[in-house]
Amino acid sequence: MKVLIISSSTRKGRTSHRVALHLANRFNGVAGVEVRILDLMEHKLPMFEEVYVRDENPTVAAKEVAGMLNWADSMVFLTPEYNGTYAPALKNLVDYYNKTEFIKKAIGIVTVSTGALAGMRSAVQMQNLIAALFGYVAPYMLPVGNVTDKFEEDGTLKLPLFENSVHNFVSEFLWLADAIVAKKELAAAAA
Ligand SMILES: Cc1cc2nc3c(=O)[nH]c(=O)nc-3n(C[C@H](O)[C@H](O)[C@H](O)COP(=O)(O)O)c2cc1C
């Protein structure tokens, strides 16, 4: 199972990326799982002007990102909440590439806020976003409120009480992702 975590804060001094680092470690510890982080701060994409397949001069970063999206069997959309919704870099990404990069893949939702409400408004909006991409929304989400109380900068979990939520998110996400990949293998074998 190849899991791509899309970390979508491009803000200097960001805090949500620490959750991406933590989740990457968690997925790494599961047998049969390979994980990569697509960091949208590192892989800067152009502001959307035309879709990737019709972009006559895609940047090196755009080609690398296309490779990462295609590599993934499943994805985690990880976003801070800004003004009640998800990060603009995430919307820019999904609009730039084709639905084919997301279609029929399990996609998990992780929202991050320094506040107590944990980015729930962006989480609900991402359910609609993933449906529009014809991805499969993983129903167990991981909304992370008060993020600086829960995670260190290097991704270490600070708050043992939050362990259960992380464990449930990872295991429920992999249950769905594995089921979808198994179904695709069956369909390919029957074809
Ligand atoms: C422009 C802006 C808008 C924000 N709007 C919200 C919001 O609507 N809801 C919320 O819970 N937090 C909001 N916050 C607080 C962020 O959730 C918090 O800054 C968080 O650390 C952002 O993640 P980041 O550090 O990875 O960028 C906002 C922060 C910024 C900079």
Side-chain angles (χ1 to χ4, degrees):
M1 172 60 58
K2 293 171 185 155
V3 180
L4 185 69
I5 300 172
I6 301 178
S7 181
S8 56
S9 174
T10 53
R11 192 178 69 82
K12 290 176 188 147
R14 63 189 176 171
T15 56
S16 57
H17 192 66
R18 52 185 78 187
V19 185
L21 296 175
H22 183 79
L23 287 174
N25 270 334
R26 301 293 289 245
F27 281 117
N28 246 333
V30 181
V33 174
E34 285 175 68
V35 65
R36 293 173 76 181
I37 296 179
L38 167 52
D39 180 354
L40 296 182
M41 182 181 248
E42 195 185 311
H43 289 88
K44 291 204 189 308
L45 293 174
M47 180 70 82
F48 178 64
E49 287 180 358
E50 181 49 288
V51 291
Y52 178 70
V53 287
R54 288 199 290 272
D55 188 343
E56 286 170 1
N57 273 314
T59 62
V60 173
K63 289 184 205 164
E64 278 172 11
V65 171
M68 291 172 90
L69 295 172
N70 283 312
W71 167 87
D73 296 316
S74 60
M75 300 178 187
V76 172
F77 284 2
L78 186 148
T79 185
E81 180 166 290
Y82 295 144
N83 295 317
T85 189
Y86 42 82
L90 179 63
K91 185 69 164 73
N92 194 51
L93 171 90
V94 301
D95 292 346
Y96 182 50
Y97 292 98
N98 259 8
K99 273 195 175 60
T100 45
E101 274 86 10
F102 307 98
I103 195 167
K104 284 192 163 71
K105 291 181 181 175
I107 303 182
I109 293 173
V110 181
T111 58
V112 179
S113 172
T114 44
L117 298 182
M120 270 315 292
R121 290 176 296 180
S122 50
V124 171
Q125 290 173 37
M126 279 208 289
Q127 292 178 321
N128 287 333
L129 176 69
I130 293 163
L133 299 170
F134 300 154
Y136 293 123
V137 181
Y140 195 102
M141 303 188 287
L142 186 66
V144 183
N146 301 317
V147 61
T148 49
D149 295 340
K150 293 193 175 81
F151 293 93
E152 307 278 9
E153 217 171 321
D154 67 358
T156 307
L157 184 63
K158 267 168 136 173
L159 188 74
L161 267 180
F162 201 60
E163 165 60 28
N164 210 31
S165 300
V166 176
H167 169 83
N168 289 344
F169 171 76
V170 169
S171 58
E172 293 295 325
F173 171 78
L174 288 176
W175 188 96
L176 179 68
D178 283 339
I180 291 167
V181 166
K183 172 70 182 168
K184 284 179 184 169
E185 285 169 359
L186 276 179

